Amino acid sequence: MKNRLKVLRAERDMTQADLANELSVSRQTINAIEKGKFDPSLPLAFKMSKLFHLSIESIFENDEAKE
Amino acid sequence: MKEKKWNMEVRSNTKKLKFWSLLWMVSMAIATFGPMFVWPENTVLNVLAILINLGCGGGMILVNRKLINSLDELQKKIQMDAMGIALGVGVVGGLGYSLLDQTNVITQDAQISFLVILISLTYMIGLFIGKKRYK
């Protein structure tokens, strides 16, 4: 699943470690999500949505929906 | 602050698991070598040493469960994948090894320690691959 996490993080001048700390996950998890290697759970996606004040759809792009 | 709290919990649970694992290993050594070198043919002490070993093992299992519950979702997935492969290899490999013994293809009796080593190695390789994959 593609996402805008890296861009959103950069806009807020946050490191992966900062974001990981805000979301109570490891830096490795943030890195894997940014690279599209791992899809976050719904609760984690909601946490991101709340943190960036954006809807989940505007952070994540569902590849299957495009097809 | 919240994150640090999360990290601290994982670290604390890891330390607790190290402690209980060490305790279990020591109790296993006592239960194994005690009857050979310290108290030959004393059933009461044998049973006591085994009960202590089982108790330490139970503590280790509970702390391991607590540690896994405190991990984040990716870390849990890596653990689950590694444990799934280790369990599969343990069952398939263990039964295959047992068949080799039953059919006398191997001259030695099947040893449980070989199975434990196989499961441990598979679990460690699974963890290594999982960490590498999501790096």
Side-chain angles (χ1 to χ4, degrees):
Chain A
M1 194 185 288
K2 287 181 184 170
N3 63 77
R4 296 174 52 220
L5 215 55
K6 193 173 180 178
V7 175
L8 295 170
R9 183 170 60 74
E11 282 172 0
R12 285 154 184 81
D13 204 21
M14 291 174 93
T15 63
Q16 286 187 342
D18 293 335
L19 184 58
N21 281 347
E22 288 292 332
L23 298 170
S24 294
V25 295
S26 62
R27 197 195 60 75
Q28 184 192 14
T29 299
I30 297 299
N31 188 47
I33 295 171
E34 281 187 2
K35 287 184 174 174
K37 289 180 179 176
F38 177 69
D39 293 334
S41 65
L42 199 53
L44 184 56
F46 271 114
K47 271 189 182 179
M48 291 171 180
S49 161
K50 196 177 169 190
L51 182 72
F52 293 123
H53 303 290
L54 290 168
S55 65
I56 290 177
E57 292 91 334
S58 55
I59 301 175
F60 295 96
E61 188 182 317
N62 190 355
D63 296 337
E64 287 175 14
K66 280 179 102 181
E67 288 167 7
Chain B
M1 196 73 182
K2 202 195 322 175
E3 170 66 19
K4 286 197 172 160
K5 196 180 164 192
W6 174 77
N7 257 336
M8 280 168 63
E9 192 186 345
V10 173
R11 276 185 199 162
S12 161
N13 287 335
T14 306
K15 275 185 189 170
K16 282 179 194 166
L17 182 59
K18 281 181 190 170
F19 171 76
W20 277 95
S21 302
L22 187 70
L23 211 60
W24 176 74
M25 270 174 53
V26 170
S27 69
M28 177 66 83
I30 291 170
T32 305
F33 298 113
M36 290 181 196
F37 304 114
V38 188
W39 62 79
E41 292 177 27
N42 188 327
T43 309
V44 176
L45 283 179
N46 284 345
V47 170
L48 191 67
I50 291 168
L51 285 177
I52 290 170
N53 175 248
L54 289 175
C56 292
M60 182 177 71
I61 291 167
L62 291 177
V63 172
N64 190 33
R65 183 176 174 270
K66 200 176 168 189
L67 170 65
I68 288 170
N69 281 333
S70 68
L71 298 175
D72 75 19
E73 50 196 72
L74 176 61
Q75 292 169 331
K76 277 182 192 167
K77 180 180 165 35
I78 292 170
Q79 288 282 339
M80 197 177 72
D81 286 350
M83 283 192 257
I85 293 167
L87 177 67
V89 170
V91 170
V92 174
L95 290 177
Y97 182 46
S98 170
L99 281 174
L100 288 175
D101 179 26
Q102 279 178 31
T103 52
N104 292 323
V105 175
I106 52 172
T107 49
Q108 296 169 327
D109 285 338
Q111 305 263 343
I112 189 79
S113 55
F114 287 174
L115 186 59
V116 174
I117 291 168
L118 176 70
I119 292 172
S120 305
L121 285 177
T122 312
Y123 173 63
M124 284 194 286
I125 292 168
L127 273 186
F128 177 76
I129 292 171
K131 283 179 186 282
K132 198 94 176 155
R133 180 185 296 163
Y134 295 107
K135 201 175 176 185

